[in-house]
Amino acid sequence: MTHDEVFVAHRSLLFTVAYELLGSAADAEDTVQETWLRWDGIGGAGRADVGDPRAYLVRIAGRLALNRLRTLSRRREDYVGEWLPEPLLTTPDVADDVELAESVSLAMLTVLETLTPTERAVFVLREVFDLPSDEIAAATGKSSPAVRQIAHRARSHVTAGRPRVEVDRGEQRQVVSRFLAALRTGDLQGLMDALAPDAVLIADGGGVANAVRQPVAGAKKIVNLLGGFVRFAPTAVVEAVLVNGAPGARIVIDGAVDTVIGFAFDGGRISRVFAVRNPDKLRRLDEETALSR
């Protein structure tokens, strides 16, 4: 393959690396572009020294994304309300790849947000993309022994925070379908039946769109919040879509995307509801974005 073809072959992978580190498709795209500039700038002799283009490109993208994440993390401290990742509409092949779907799920990305930037980079590069410790060390500016210690700490933190994942996509689609049907019709009991008793709703309006600024805990409180949806938005179109590799929903009002909803599941019910309403995070959602490992 030519120099350009090698990059194109790994472009989707690089986007996924950057997106998992940043939680933002726009920032991920910028990172991929910066990675291309670095790759394109390698001279002929330098190219000959690249024995594993995949590892090399992932390392470059990881380092650039980490630098960007450190800046973004400081900005997110002043974010209005809860911060959620920018959602992606994904294709069925992403949902069929169970490991990839879990790694890009809104539930997982929300847990990753609780890590420090370095912990997040180490975890993603090691656990998701299986990069060797020496490559991760080069990407993060840490020693290999330090990388192994950080990886252990981050793995423990993520394991404790991630929701239990059910791999039965058919069951997930069914419970989401019931939830959406109840939302459309104002069926309070239907909503209650779809939610786990200790379910939590998290909404992100970014201080621009109306949204609760604190998590809503408990099925009853969530139903009280959502039960009047049909009265407040009688013309809304609520449609099932794949969001970050899992069954989700898109709410369209007057032809514009108003809200994207992702879910986490436990015991055949919905345990988390992630409602993204910040318009800055919804601009890309008319396009499906490719993800890859």
Side-chain angles (χ1 to χ4, degrees):
M1 287 192 291
T2 66
H3 187 65
D4 291 0
E5 288 172 339
V6 169
F7 184 85
V8 171
H10 292 90
R11 193 185 191 288
S12 180
L13 166 67
L14 299 177
F15 176 86
T16 307
V17 170
Y19 177 71
E20 291 198 30
L21 281 173
L22 298 167
S24 163
D27 287 309
E29 288 285 9
D30 288 344
T31 299
V32 171
Q33 182 61 29
E34 290 180 48
T35 304
W36 158 250
L37 294 175
R38 301 293 179 89
W39 177 251
D40 190 46
I42 300 175
R47 296 175 191 177
D49 294 334
V50 178
D52 184 347
R54 177 187 183 277
Y56 180 87
L57 287 167
V58 168
R59 173 164 57 84
I60 297 301
R63 182 168 68 238
L64 292 171
L66 175 58
N67 291 339
R68 187 178 290 260
L69 179 60
R70 286 170 173 152
T71 299
L72 292 175
S73 294
R74 291 190 289 271
R75 294 178 187 170
R76 289 172 189 173
E77 293 176 359
D78 299 323
Y79 195 80
V80 178
E82 295 292 313
W83 186 93
L84 289 174
E86 180 182 345
L88 297 179
L89 299 188
T90 45
T91 52
D93 61 304
V94 175
D96 291 340
D97 187 332
V98 175
E99 291 184 4
L100 176 59
E102 180 185 358
S103 71
V104 299
S105 70
L106 292 182
M108 174 60 81
L109 292 175
T110 302
V111 173
L112 293 181
E113 194 65 22
T114 65
L115 301 177
T116 68
T118 300
E119 287 174 341
R120 184 169 184 166
V122 169
F123 179 86
V124 168
L125 295 176
R126 183 74 188 94
E127 299 298 318
V128 181
F129 298 100
D130 200 29
L131 218 62
S133 294
D134 59 339
E135 292 282 355
I136 299 174
T140 59
K142 301 292 183 179
S143 66
S144 292
V147 163
R148 288 190 286 271
Q149 290 179 348
I150 294 169
H152 176 75
R153 184 169 65 245
R155 192 182 308 115
S156 299
H157 188 97
V158 170
T159 299
R162 70 160 51 136
R164 186 169 66 87
V165 175
E166 297 177 357
V167 298
D168 187 345
R169 294 298 186 200
E171 189 174 4
Q172 292 181 4
R173 285 192 295 270
Q174 290 174 11
V175 70
V176 168
S177 178
R178 295 198 304 271
F179 178 89
L180 297 182
L183 183 65
R184 293 186 192 101
T185 60
D187 179 1
L188 303 186
Q189 188 58 51
L191 288 171
M192 187 70 71
D193 291 342
L195 293 165
D198 59 350
V200 177
L201 179 147
I202 301 172
D204 177 351
V208 180
N210 289 332
V212 291
R213 295 191 178 183
Q214 298 293 331
V216 179
K220 291 183 179 180
K221 291 183 179 180
I222 295 173
V223 170
N224 288 338
L225 178 68
L226 300 180
F229 170 78
V230 69
R231 295 194 304 273
F232 290 109
T235 63
V237 177
V238 182
E239 51 190 7
V241 292
L242 287 173
V243 177
N244 288 59
R250 173 173 54 190
I251 298 175
V252 178
I253 298 178
D254 296 331
V257 177
D258 177 84
T259 307
V260 169
I261 307 174
F263 302 97
F265 308 89
D266 189 4
R269 290 187 173 187
I270 294 169
S271 60
R272 295 288 186 276
V273 180
F274 304 102
V276 181
R277 304 204 65 234
N278 184 342
D280 291 337
K281 298 182 180 183
L282 301 177
R283 289 174 181 160
R284 298 171 50 92
L285 289 182
D286 287 330
E287 300 178 2
E288 293 179 333
T289 303
L291 295 169
S292 173
R293 284 192 305 132

